């Protein structure tokens, strides 16, 4: 079976800065892949390239066998905007900050895209939203506005909103970095449940416990490229590169 997501020889430059340098990564359906590494290593840039939030300088991105972008002559050639929107509608993304509509209730935030983008009937969208709120443990908050929610609750609403589009792939860009430590566990618990349900997830995270316990595979990035990858046991118990060994030592000291 072909991978759900294929990133082949991805390069990304911001002026003179080489943010991504020949990155190749494949993600299989039902797999949870955690990306770890120091700040500035290209993790978020890679994630944002998957759903067209960043345009790559060269390389190839294939989603469900459909090339989103290819670089046959070294210059990236993307699909039409319409086709990109269609493909990216099957990708959910959770950011560090929640990006909820402040004037909409929890229920309104979750049902907005299914109704407006997928043209889902309102009653059907609401029923699915309530199911997802139960999944993330917030069924009692359906009529609350974002200002009435804690940070952890807002992020769980954001996850429910992403799932409401019935995506094939969920991207998480350091989803707990803006949260207080005592409520980080709320969000990680939901993500663990999704992993157990075999939702395909690509997760940029600083939560080493989550990567070690939940991920099927861990990618270590530094200086814009993949330095090492393997099972959580490979990465955390038997790191091969000096760069990864030093990173793990610094994490343990902090």
């Amino acid at each position: 079976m072909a991978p759900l997501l294929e990133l082949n020889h991805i390069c990304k430059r911001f002026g003179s800065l080489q943010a991504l340098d020949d990155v190749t990564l494949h993600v299989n359906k039902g797999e949870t892949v955690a990306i770890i590494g120091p700040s500035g290593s290209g993790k978020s840039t890679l994630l944002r390239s998957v759903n067209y939030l960043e345009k790559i300088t060269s390389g190839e991105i294939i989603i469900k066998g459909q090339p989103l972008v290819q670089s046959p002559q070294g210059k990236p050639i993307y699909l039409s905007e319409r086709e990109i929107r269609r493909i990216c509608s099957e990708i959910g993304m959770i950011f560090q900050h929640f990006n909820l509509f402040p004037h909409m209730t929890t229920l309104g935030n979750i049902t907005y895209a299914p109704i407006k983008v997928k043209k889902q009937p309102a009653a059907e969208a609401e029923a699915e939203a309530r199911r997802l709120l139960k999944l993330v443990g917030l069924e009692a908050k359906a009529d609350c506005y974002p200002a009435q929610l804690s940070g952890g609750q807002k992020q769980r609403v954001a996850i429910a909103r992403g799932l409401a589009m019935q995506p094939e792939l969920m991207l998480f860009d350091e989803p707990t970095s803006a949260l207080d430590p005592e409520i980080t566990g709320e969000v990680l618990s939901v993500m663990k449940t999704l992993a157990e349900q075999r939702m395909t997830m690509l997760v940029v995270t600083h939560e080493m416990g989550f990567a070690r316990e939940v991920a099927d595979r861990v990618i270590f990035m530094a200086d814009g490229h993949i330095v090492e990858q393997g099972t959580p046991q490979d990465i955390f118990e038997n790191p091969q590169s000096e760069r990864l060994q030093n990173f793990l030592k610094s994490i343990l000291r902090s």
Side-chain angles (χ1 to χ4, degrees):
M1 184 180 296
L4 180 66
L5 171 66
E6 300 176 58
L7 305 174
N8 297 318
H9 307 292
I10 303 297
C11 294
K12 172 64 179 179
R13 295 187 68 88
F14 295 100
S16 61
L17 174 64
Q18 186 78 41
L20 295 173
D21 185 9
D22 196 27
V23 174
T24 293
L25 170 63
H26 296 172
V27 180
N28 297 315
K29 185 175 178 61
E31 190 177 25
T32 296
V33 177
I35 304 178
I36 65 172
S39 297
S41 60
K43 306 184 300 296
S44 293
T45 300
L46 182 65
L47 206 68
R48 291 169 63 86
S49 299
V50 174
N51 65 347
Y52 198 56
L53 294 177
E54 294 285 358
K55 288 187 177 182
I56 61 174
T57 304
S58 63
E60 181 180 59
I61 300 174
I62 302 173
I63 301 170
K64 293 178 62 180
Q66 173 70 65
L68 180 72
V69 56
Q70 295 178 304
S71 304
Q73 305 297 326
K75 182 179 180 181
I77 300 174
Y78 280 87
L79 293 176
S80 67
E81 291 286 341
R82 181 178 180 180
E83 282 298 294
I84 288 172
R85 286 195 299 270
R86 180 186 64 80
I87 292 173
C88 290
S89 70
E90 299 186 2
I91 303 172
M93 185 159 185
I94 309 302
F95 299 89
Q96 297 177 25
H97 300 284
F98 327 113
N99 298 334
L100 300 178
F101 295 119
H103 63 288
M104 291 185 181
T105 64
T106 294
L107 202 61
N109 267 282
I110 297 171
T111 59
Y112 180 81
I115 292 173
K116 294 294 184 180
V117 178
K118 296 187 72 175
K119 308 303 181 184
Q120 191 173 17
E124 183 180 315
E126 180 175 334
E128 176 64 5
R130 292 188 183 278
R131 184 189 73 81
L132 291 170
L133 281 173
K134 185 175 182 179
L135 174 70
V136 301
L138 291 174
E139 57 265 52
K141 301 292 185 180
D143 297 321
C144 291
Y145 289 88
Q148 299 171 299
L149 303 175
S150 70
Q153 290 170 337
K154 291 176 186 176
Q155 193 63 294
R156 284 186 280 160
V157 171
I159 292 173
R161 180 181 58 182
L163 293 171
M165 289 293 285
Q166 300 177 339
E168 292 278 348
L169 170 66
M170 286 288 285
L171 309 176
F172 293 82
D173 187 7
E174 298 184 12
T176 61
S177 64
L179 302 178
D180 293 332
E182 61 267 26
I183 59 177
T184 292
E186 299 176 5
V187 175
L188 295 179
S189 177
V190 171
M191 293 171 64
K192 182 178 179 180
T193 298
L194 294 178
E196 291 169 348
Q197 295 177 353
R198 308 312 295 172
M199 166 61 71
T200 310
M201 298 193 294
L202 186 58
V203 184
V204 171
T205 184
H206 289 299
E207 299 291 338
M208 297 300 110
F210 173 85
R212 188 168 192 158
E213 179 185 355
V214 179
D216 298 299
R217 188 155 43 101
V218 179
I219 309 295
F220 172 64
M221 289 187 67
D223 305 317
H225 62 272
I226 294 175
V227 177
E228 204 166 327
Q229 62 177 300
T231 65
Q233 184 175 9
D234 293 334
I235 295 299
F236 292 106
E237 297 182 17
N238 191 30
Q240 298 298 303
S241 64
E242 184 179 357
R243 189 72 179 85
L244 175 55
Q245 292 168 9
N246 291 337
F247 173 77
L248 293 175
K249 287 177 183 176
S250 70
I251 290 293
L252 291 175
R253 285 198 301 267
S254 61

